[in-house]
Amino acid sequence: MKLRHNFKNLTVWNKAVDLAVKIYETSALFPSEEKFGMTSQMRRSSVSIPSNIAEGTARNSSKAFANCLDISLGESFELETQSIIASRVGLLNQELFESINHDLDEIQKMLVGLKSKVESNPY
């Protein structure tokens, strides 16, 4: 089977991986009582974003790839919500909050653009 895209060459995938690493590093500083709460939730959401992009590249239709990009986009909004909550309860300082949300904004725009491109070039 020929892959339509090498996910490792996609800028959005690389940015999403970088964000997941940032979330892991940041959440490592959360209190231990958050291990099964916010730490777990934010890590899961952040890892899901690039994972679904990668999964989509292995799909055999543009519709299936676009669906995986939709899931990634949904996970990015979930992570955005979690970062807002983490900030409001004092788990994230303002600098980290702004950095994470800047990254998310960029990734979300790239996902929307890639999805549009995939949908306009069916295979």
Side-chain angles (χ1 to χ4, degrees):
M1 174 171 100
K2 182 179 185 259
L3 297 180
R4 300 294 177 184
H5 300 276
N6 181 344
F7 64 88
K8 295 176 206 164
N9 292 333
L10 293 172
T11 302
V12 67
W13 179 84
N14 281 287
K15 287 185 179 290
V17 168
D18 290 344
L19 177 59
V21 170
K22 182 186 287 186
I23 293 298
Y24 262 78
E25 292 170 350
T26 299
S27 64
L29 305 173
F30 290 179
S32 59
E33 63 264 18
E34 286 298 329
K35 181 178 180 183
F36 300 108
M38 195 61 76
T39 301
S40 175
Q41 287 292 315
M42 290 182 78
R43 287 178 174 186
R44 184 193 58 76
S45 295
S46 69
V47 167
S48 186
I49 299 167
S51 297
N52 278 289
I53 296 167
E55 180 181 343
T57 64
R59 299 296 181 175
N60 60 4
S61 73
S62 57
K63 184 177 179 180
F65 187 11
N67 184 58
C68 288
L69 295 174
D70 261 342
I71 294 168
S72 287
L73 187 61
E75 291 291 341
S76 75
F77 282 103
E78 185 175 324
L79 180 57
E80 184 175 358
T81 299
Q82 292 159 353
S83 72
I84 291 167
I85 294 167
S87 174
R88 288 188 183 180
V89 299
L91 295 172
L92 287 177
N93 66 35
Q94 190 64 26
E95 183 182 343
L96 279 171
F97 173 73
E98 288 175 8
S99 174
I100 289 167
N101 281 283
H102 174 269
D103 294 346
L104 279 166
D105 185 56
E106 191 174 54
I107 289 166
Q108 289 163 349
K109 288 175 183 171
M110 293 175 83
L111 284 168
V112 169
L114 180 57
K115 181 177 179 258
S116 177
K117 183 177 178 181
V118 166
E119 289 174 331
S120 69
N121 295 303
Y123 55 88

